[in-house]
Amino acid sequence: MSNRSTIVWRVDYVGIAVLIVASFFPVVYYSFLCVPFVRHLYLATMTTLGFLTLGVTLSEKFQDARYSPLRALLFSSLGTGFFFFPFTSTGYSGDCY
């Protein structure tokens, strides 16, 4: 029974991480449509952070209690990516047509 619950909570965390990263894409893509460098930088950073989070979540090595702060930090970093975004998007006019 314990093995089954471990698999279920890992799948749950994977789903959360995927949804966070995927919901970031349309907002960044359309907000920085005229600033491709910043758009690619944001998307690459969030994707890399998402893959790191997935790797740590799925890896047996990082399931020990001493790695709990690392897992919490990675998930918190994914969530706080949305808070830094509005501050940088206000610096660009977005008038590229």
Side-chain angles (χ1 to χ4, degrees):
M1 187 69 165
S2 176
N3 187 26
R4 204 176 293 163
S5 67
T6 301
I7 292 171
V8 169
W9 71 258
R10 282 189 187 171
V11 169
D12 184 41
Y13 282 135
V14 166
I16 292 168
V18 167
L19 285 173
I20 290 172
V21 172
S23 65
F24 198 74
F25 268 71
V27 174
V28 170
Y29 185 83
Y30 290 114
S31 296
F32 293 109
L33 192 60
C34 300
V35 192
F37 175 75
V38 177
R39 180 181 65 222
H40 295 316
L41 182 68
Y42 264 116
L43 294 178
T45 302
M46 285 303 286
T47 303
T48 303
L49 195 56
F51 277 121
L52 280 171
T53 304
L54 290 177
V56 168
T57 301
L58 295 174
S59 175
E60 283 289 330
K61 177 183 177 183
F62 293 106
Q63 299 311 311
D64 194 33
R66 65 181 175 183
Y67 293 113
S68 230
L70 175 65
R71 292 192 308 267
L73 177 70
L74 285 171
F75 272 100
S76 298
S77 299
L78 277 177
T80 56
F82 283 110
F83 293 114
F84 293 114
F85 165 71
F87 297 117
T88 56
S89 66
T90 57
Y92 299 101
S93 67
D95 187 25
C96 62
Y97 298 109

